[in-house]
Amino acid sequence: MTTTNEIAEKIATEHGLTKVRSKAVVEAVFAAVTAAATSGAETSIPGFGKFKVKDTPEREARNPATGATIKVAAAKKLTFAPAKALKDALNA
């Protein structure tokens, strides 16, 4: 697993920034993606992928312990679709 601190440290090392400054940049990117998702907008990062908000409809589910049917409320979820470049890099 990679953490935001590890990403910020790598950026700081590669671009001659302080760790504090590079962490602020990483957090700003995540904040921008979060703000776009909250407003329902799609975020596209060329060469990496797209973050999209999708609506999931209300549905019925079953409690596996009791077998009782329950309703699961409609919700929004954030999906990620990797770009072709990322898929190719993963499968190289």
Side-chain angles (χ1 to χ4, degrees):
M1 177 169 67
T2 301
T3 65
T4 46
N5 285 336
E6 291 169 343
I7 294 169
E9 193 171 315
K10 183 172 172 91
I11 291 171
T13 303
E14 291 178 1
H15 297 284
L17 299 172
T18 65
K19 288 180 186 176
V20 172
R21 187 172 209 130
S22 63
K23 184 163 184 186
V25 170
V26 170
E27 288 175 347
V29 170
F30 291 143
V33 171
T34 301
T38 303
S39 70
E42 179 181 296
T43 301
S44 179
I45 302 171
F48 185 67
K50 291 181 184 179
F51 293 93
K52 299 179 194 178
V53 177
K54 288 193 174 182
D55 292 318
T56 57
E58 182 179 287
R59 62 187 170 88
E60 288 188 359
R62 206 169 283 285
N63 181 335
T66 64
T69 301
I70 58 172
K71 287 204 183 257
V72 177
K76 293 180 188 253
K77 67 179 181 176
L78 187 64
T79 63
F80 175 74
K84 184 177 183 321
L86 179 57
K87 286 184 207 175
D88 291 346
L90 288 172
N91 295 308

